[in-house]
Amino acid sequence: MLTSRVAAALPRLLPCTRPYHKQALTNTIVKKKRSQLFTQEAQRQAALITDVEKIEVQYDGQPKNCTLIMNKGMSTPYNCAQHINQMIMERSVLAEVDGQVWDMHRPLEDSCTLRFLHFRQSDPYYANKAFWRSASVMLGALLESSFKDNLYVELCSYPSPNVRSGSFVYDVDIKIPEWEPTKEELRTLSGEMVKLSLAAHRFERLEVDASVALKMFADNRFKTQQIPQMAAQSTSGNTVVVYRIGDFVEVSRGPMMADTSHLGKVSIVAVHPIESNEVQLFRVQGVALPRGFLLNHFAYGVLEKRAQQMNSGRLPLNISSTKPQTQASTL
Amino acid sequence: MALSRLKCITHAMKNLSLLSHPDLRAPVCMNQVRAMSRVKRRHTVPPFWLPKTTRAMYPEHMTPENEIFLKDVIEEKYSSPLKADCWERGTWVKNSMRCGLIGRKIGIYPMWTKDGTRLLTTLLQVSDNQVIKYIKPEDMVQDKRKRYRELGALVVGADPIDPRIITKEYYSVFSEAGVMPKKKMSKFLITPNAKLAPGTPLYASHFQPGHYVDIAGITIDRGFQGVMKRWGFKGMPASHGVTKSHRRGGNIGSGGDKARVLLGTKMPGNMGRERRILRGLKVWRVNTQHNVIWVHGPAVPGGVGSYVYIYDSILPDHRHTQENHPPFPTFFQDEEEIEEELYDKELHTFREPSVQFAEK
């Protein structure tokens, strides 16, 4: 046991010595914690694969059908595309593995048939849905990092993607009673979305146990309620899927697009207040086009105008009015 | 005098006006002014503050259904069944100025008066004119003189353009008025009692037969011309020993004390493509269905198809009085009945009988 004088003489090794649970609750700290947990879990899961087994992936499509020998549990459809063609690699939004829609950066489990989905095919239904879903998640990433530190923003959820509704949304709890953003504020948010897109973050996918997910999202009272429900609906019964873009982690079910650079023109157009079980939430709405889709300002204005209308997607229900936390939860 | 005119011109250019006020520009008769040669008469490039009209087109690969949908959206947006915003309408008082119109020269046609005199008239079509904006006197960049301090302006637009092919900046000019974007715009100085709400349509019936107008336009571009065509020099004889100087300018200076070529010496150069105003043209006939105005003479500046700007005449002989002023602030054709063809009372109309025989 060091005497206090000796302890004082020793150089301080870390800038912040307070343990996590004693720090004030801010989005920055929470995001960092989640990202760290994600990295740890990803490393743990990667370490589980000791032997590299080979699988045969049958590719059907342009430029020609081929069979690829890939690594089981490690190779992703993106890796397959890298072997095939640069154009396929850049334009593919989703993969179709044995008829099932698959993330581009999700490891392949077994020998399978592989196809790639993109926005310009004749029926890009799944690609569009993934795009809309990913846009919602990116909006969530944006909302978590855009507010001042004294406001602890809790992301609630987003409804199932419906492109025909005219906008992608995210419901968020900002803990202020009213928020009517000015045109400049909306423009700033749109700019941040564009920055996210330019950063070209990958949608890193991880299937984790519900307990790990709960640890990650312990500071979000909405997610702590949603995760058990999502885990119950999963095939295994107790796992949920988490995605990470940059340093933002989100729990979600469906497939996401390959990376954020697939987002082209984007505008955050409206914020509608919604009441849900005594909780004041805000539904932030936006509209976007995939990268490479050119559209004149008038037609895009028509889309923006449509997106401003209150989105008809399902409102978050059954949110108990637990008191919002003021201190970060224990690890 | 020349310098003051120069100042007026530069002030008008600073005035952020698309076209300056008639009073500040060329007078009725053209005197040679030496200092004018230092002022640029033609500009190959539009002023920096003017927004670009059309944008760079790129392939959008829009489905046919979407194209049809957008056309419907445009139609619906710019064809509201509601009446345009109704502002209080001013009444005419002495020295009132009302806005003009933007027309297109569509041709020249002869007309005959009742005593058989033949005269040529120019047809000007006023196509889809609408008020875009009203600028209050306080918001105008003002001439310090009292008369101009009190004047506001109306920006009038003519001829619609597809909103998809124009730039966003240009489109924003019209979004406040809720008006279909226009190809051509002009600013008309007005007294505040002549103001009109944005979106108000203006028709040819704004001018009525018997009234006089001033017409401003860009003259036909004749390119680089010699002194005979450009300045009306007589040239030199074709023979009798004249060497190589049949169409040339001859002497260009007097020498002596002024040992230089004086500024403004008439020489060959670019002729035409200049803004000129023709004053005091009588309106002979107006067709209210096709919005055509017949004005006196064949000499309206510009070629057929070019835009002209039609103002109420400022000539003292044709000043308006309480008894003979035109419809003020404009003729609201949507609300009032008017005949299709309006003729000046001195004009012979071929539809009416010219010779009548009395029954014995």
Side-chain angles (χ1 to χ4, degrees):
Chain A
M1 168 104 168
L2 297 162
T3 60
S4 58
R5 272 171 73 189
V6 176
L10 277 172
R12 290 200 145 244
L13 294 162
L14 296 161
C16 181
T17 49
R18 291 173 96 198
Y20 175 79
H21 62 272
K22 287 219 176 126
Q23 292 171 21
L25 194 63
T26 64
N27 285 109
T28 336
I29 290 165
V30 165
K31 262 197 348 187
K32 199 172 158 191
K33 164 201 156 193
R34 282 185 197 147
S35 192
Q36 270 173 0
L37 283 170
F38 187 99
T39 316
Q40 279 171 24
E41 179 64 18
Q43 282 169 354
R44 187 194 70 83
Q45 287 191 9
L48 290 173
I49 302 170
T50 45
D51 276 337
V52 174
E53 283 178 47
K54 294 294 181 188
I55 50 170
E56 273 186 24
V57 177
Q58 181 64 40
Y59 169 66
D60 293 324
Q62 295 296 327
K64 65 171 184 183
N65 301 355
C66 55
T67 309
L68 301 156
I69 312 293
M70 308 301 285
N71 297 333
K72 178 181 167 116
M74 287 162 60
S75 300
T76 61
Y78 186 76
N79 298 138
C80 300
Q82 284 176 306
H83 283 295
I84 297 163
N85 190 298
Q86 188 188 6
M87 188 186 79
I88 302 286
M89 185 181 92
E90 284 172 354
R91 80 170 184 193
S92 299
V93 175
L94 283 177
E96 198 186 291
V97 169
D98 283 339
Q100 190 196 353
V101 188
W102 203 268
D103 294 82
M104 283 293 285
H105 298 291
R106 178 179 168 186
L108 296 163
E109 303 296 328
D110 255 318
S111 298
C112 53
T113 52
L114 180 66
R115 281 211 177 96
F116 291 105
L117 306 176
H118 58 99
F119 292 119
R120 290 194 191 270
Q121 59 194 70
S122 50
D123 185 21
Y125 173 74
Y126 292 107
N128 288 348
K129 263 206 139 161
F131 176 74
W132 223 234
R133 196 180 292 121
S134 316
S136 280
V137 168
M138 284 169 73
L139 179 55
L142 184 76
L143 292 169
E144 235 189 29
S145 55
S146 297
F147 288 87
K148 289 186 179 158
D149 275 334
N150 58 335
L151 286 170
Y152 178 58
V153 170
E154 277 182 293
L155 298 176
C156 177
S157 66
Y158 56 92
S160 190
N162 178 11
V163 181
R164 296 184 86 87
S165 67
S167 55
F168 58 85
V169 301
Y170 213 112
D171 302 323
V172 62
D173 178 17
I174 316 174
K175 300 186 182 44
I176 46 179
E178 275 182 355
W179 183 35
E180 270 184 48
T182 57
K183 269 201 182 129
E184 282 72 36
E185 286 176 348
L186 288 172
R187 210 173 289 145
T188 314
L189 284 173
S190 308
E192 294 293 312
M193 278 291 267
V194 172
K195 276 191 203 163
L196 256 182
S197 167
L198 290 172
H201 294 300
R202 274 190 191 176
F203 279 86
E204 299 168 48
R205 183 185 186 276
L206 206 60
E207 201 159 333
V208 301
D209 198 58
S211 56
V212 177
L214 278 168
K215 232 197 269 180
M216 277 186 197
F217 293 95
D219 304 292
N220 187 320
R221 66 193 201 274
F222 306 105
K223 303 283 180 191
T224 44
Q225 288 175 11
Q226 289 161 14
I227 286 169
Q229 290 167 12
M230 291 170 78
Q233 286 170 0
S234 73
T235 42
S236 55
N238 61 344
T239 53
V240 291
V241 176
V242 287
Y243 286 91
R244 180 169 68 173
I245 22 172
D247 59 355
F248 169 74
V249 183
E250 165 76 309
V251 56
S252 175
R253 198 169 22 127
M256 300 286 172
M257 57 191 189
D259 55 70
T260 59
S261 71
H262 283 288
L263 193 79
K265 227 173 186 168
V266 56
S267 320
I268 309 302
V269 292
V271 173
H272 295 286
I274 49 175
E275 284 274 341
S276 198
N277 281 27
E278 300 144 29
V279 175
Q280 175 70 51
L281 297 174
F282 291 94
R283 176 157 279 196
V284 185
Q285 295 179 190
V287 68
L289 290 171
R291 182 193 49 175
F293 280 74
L294 304 172
L295 196 61
N296 62 72
H297 67 87
F298 182 80
Y300 191 66
V302 172
L303 291 176
E304 283 180 321
K305 204 160 164 225
R306 174 73 179 83
Q308 280 172 351
Q309 294 174 24
M310 173 72 174
N311 191 294
S312 53
R314 190 171 56 89
L315 291 169
L317 298 168
N318 303 323
I319 298 160
S320 67
S321 53
T322 51
K323 279 213 188 108
Q325 292 164 296
T326 46
Q327 264 197 329
S329 59
T330 54
L331 264 168
Chain B
M1 181 188 114
L3 268 170
S4 65
R5 196 174 291 132
L6 191 69
K7 259 196 250 166
C8 284
I9 302 300
T10 50
H11 186 80
M13 282 158 73
K14 275 191 245 165
N15 204 358
L16 298 186
S17 44
L18 295 167
L19 292 162
S20 43
H21 181 61
D23 271 355
L24 303 170
R25 290 294 268 149
V28 177
C29 54
M30 278 294 292
N31 287 324
Q32 187 189 11
V33 176
R34 301 255 175 215
M36 286 294 277
S37 60
R38 281 283 177 249
V39 176
K40 264 200 167 357
R41 298 187 316 189
R42 298 178 198 84
H43 299 267
T44 48
V45 171
F48 67 90
W49 39 260
L50 207 60
K52 256 191 242 177
T53 311
T54 45
R55 61 176 182 90
M57 300 297 286
Y58 39 70
E60 287 172 358
H61 305 298
M62 216 180 272
T63 57
E65 295 89 25
N66 279 341
E67 291 270 357
I68 294 167
F69 168 70
L70 274 178
K71 281 210 179 88
D72 289 338
V73 165
I74 294 170
E75 239 186 77
E76 215 188 285
K77 182 168 184 176
Y78 297 115
S79 63
S80 168
L82 303 169
K83 257 195 276 187
D85 240 345
C86 226
W87 287 2
E88 212 188 285
R89 289 171 189 176
T91 43
W92 187 90
V93 290
K94 192 162 168 252
N95 292 333
S96 294
M97 280 163 69
R98 52 174 206 156
C99 72
L101 297 180
I102 303 172
R104 284 187 99 154
K105 187 172 165 183
I106 55 175
I108 295 167
Y109 203 78
M111 298 237 108
W112 285 261
T113 58
K114 284 200 160 75
D115 58 7
T117 319
R118 182 181 179 275
L119 49 102
L120 281 177
T121 53
T122 309
L123 278 71
L124 308 171
Q125 184 168 40
V126 172
S127 146
D128 256 328
N129 279 27
Q130 264 180 306
V131 173
I132 309 294
K133 197 171 158 184
Y134 168 60
I135 306 169
K136 291 190 275 239
E138 303 84 61
D139 298 334
M140 291 278 289
V141 177
Q142 282 294 27
D143 195 310
K144 294 289 189 285
R145 288 175 284 179
K146 183 171 181 288
R147 173 71 171 144
Y148 299 109
R149 260 183 277 139
E150 293 161 357
L151 294 179
L154 277 181
V155 177
V156 175
D159 276 335
I161 193 171
D162 189 343
R164 289 170 291 177
I165 65 166
I166 54 174
T167 57
K168 196 166 182 184
E169 203 194 341
Y170 190 71
Y171 177 75
S172 66
V173 173
F174 304 94
S175 48
E176 273 176 48
V179 165
M180 182 89 148
K182 301 286 187 192
K183 267 191 207 135
K184 207 84 184 162
M185 281 196 288
S186 180
K187 194 149 109 177
F188 296 97
L189 288 184
I190 56 162
T191 46
N193 60 342
K195 71 171 186 265
L196 292 164
T200 311
L202 299 168
Y203 302 98
S205 45
H206 186 78
F207 297 108
Q208 306 215 319
H211 286 121
Y212 289 80
V213 294
D214 295 341
I215 302 185
I218 311 290
T219 53
I220 297 172
D221 187 2
R222 301 186 196 277
F224 196 101
Q225 291 296 341
V227 286
M228 285 184 73
K229 195 182 206 51
R230 197 179 185 211
W231 300 114
F233 284 13
K234 281 186 74 184
M236 274 164 255
S239 66
H240 290 297
V242 173
T243 37
K244 304 195 292 187
S245 289
H246 308 288
R247 299 184 65 86
R248 292 181 67 179
N251 182 42
I252 58 170
S254 49
D257 277 351
K258 296 234 192 276
R260 60 187 170 91
V261 177
L262 295 177
L263 265 180
T265 302
K266 291 176 180 173
M267 285 186 170
N270 273 305
M271 181 184 174
R273 216 188 121 219
E274 284 176 32
R275 185 181 145 90
R276 285 285 179 265
I277 305 178
L278 216 53
R279 304 257 185 220
L281 299 178
K282 181 171 176 177
V283 174
W284 284 103
R285 178 178 167 186
V286 172
N287 179 305
T288 54
Q289 198 195 350
H290 299 291
N291 284 313
V292 180
I293 304 172
W294 279 251
V295 292
H296 188 86
V300 165
V304 168
S306 62
Y307 283 100
V308 293
Y309 307 92
I310 315 167
Y311 308 81
D312 289 320
S313 189
I314 57 157
L315 296 180
D317 278 347
H318 305 303
R319 260 193 286 254
H320 295 149
T321 58
Q322 186 63 51
E323 292 81 35
N324 80 335
H325 71 86
F328 196 88
T330 187
F331 186 82
F332 295 98
Q333 202 168 295
D334 301 325
E335 295 163 19
E336 292 174 43
E337 288 283 317
I338 193 169
E339 288 150 17
E340 192 190 319
E341 297 274 5
L342 302 166
Y343 297 91
D344 183 63
K345 51 186 187 301
E346 281 172 47
L347 206 60
H348 169 70
T349 45
F350 286 88
R351 294 213 174 121
E352 286 172 12
S354 55
V355 178
Q356 276 178 315
F357 292 94
E359 292 286 340
K360 260 204 182 150

